């Protein structure tokens, strides 16, 4: 038995889901082609900027809004290991976007 939907929740219509799927698929193909054809020719700072931009665009397409609850005032110092409790596959893209 399926659980009842919340009063404010309406399922996304099938045509909208198909359009969103096509957009995300095209975005993934574009990202893969960037890693093959662009990444070999650019340095690490430019790669990081492209990864951050790509991840932000992906989250925007999926209507995911990342929220930062705490951030160090002077930025992240060097030699830092970020550990995330991977609850879903989106964690990677949220960390890349930020």
């Amino acid at each position: 038995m399926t659980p009842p939907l919340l009063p404010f929740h309406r399922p996304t219509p099938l045509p909208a889901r198909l359009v969103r799927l096509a957009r995300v698929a095209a975005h993934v193909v574009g990202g893969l082609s960037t890693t093959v054809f662009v990444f070999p020719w650019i340095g690490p700072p430019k790669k990081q900027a492209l990864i951050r931009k790509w991840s932000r665009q992906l989250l925007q397409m999926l209507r995911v809004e990342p929220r930062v609850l705490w951030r160090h005032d002077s930025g992240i110092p060097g030699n830092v290991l970020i550990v995330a409790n991977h609850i879903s596959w989106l964690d990677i893209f949220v960390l890349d976007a930020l």
Side-chain angles (χ1 to χ4, degrees), residues 52 56 68-76 82 94-98:
R52 185 175 301 112
R56 286 180 179 168
V68 178
L69 299 177
W70 178 84
R71 189 176 222 166
H72 197 274
D73 292 337
S74 62
I76 297 175
I82 297 175
V94 170
L95 290 173
D96 280 341
L98 300 174

Side-chain angles (χ1 to χ4, degrees), residues 12-96:
T12 306
L14 181 61
R17 283 189 272 164
L18 292 175
V19 168
R20 190 177 298 159
L21 175 65
R23 267 185 84 195
V24 170
H27 189 67
V28 169
V29 169
L32 290 173
S33 63
T34 299
T35 60
V36 170
F37 297 113
V38 177
F39 276 17
W41 309 107
I42 61 176
K46 185 67 175 170
K47 285 180 189 177
Q48 289 299 326
L50 287 174
I51 291 169
R52 185 175 301 112
K53 180 181 176 185
W54 187 90
S55 295
R56 286 180 179 168
Q57 289 172 340
L58 177 67
L59 294 176
Q60 188 176 32
M61 283 181 203
L62 297 174
R63 296 185 179 160
V64 174
E65 181 184 333
R67 295 181 186 158
V68 178
L69 299 177
W70 178 84
R71 189 176 222 166
H72 197 274
D73 292 337
S74 62
I76 297 175
N79 299 327
V80 173
L81 175 65
I82 297 175
V83 179
N85 183 9
H86 285 288
I87 296 172
S88 75
W89 57 272
L90 281 175
D91 296 351
I92 297 164
F93 303 112
V94 170
L95 290 173
D96 280 341

Side-chain angles (χ1 to χ4, degrees), residues 1-5:
M1 177 178 228
T2 58
L5 296 176

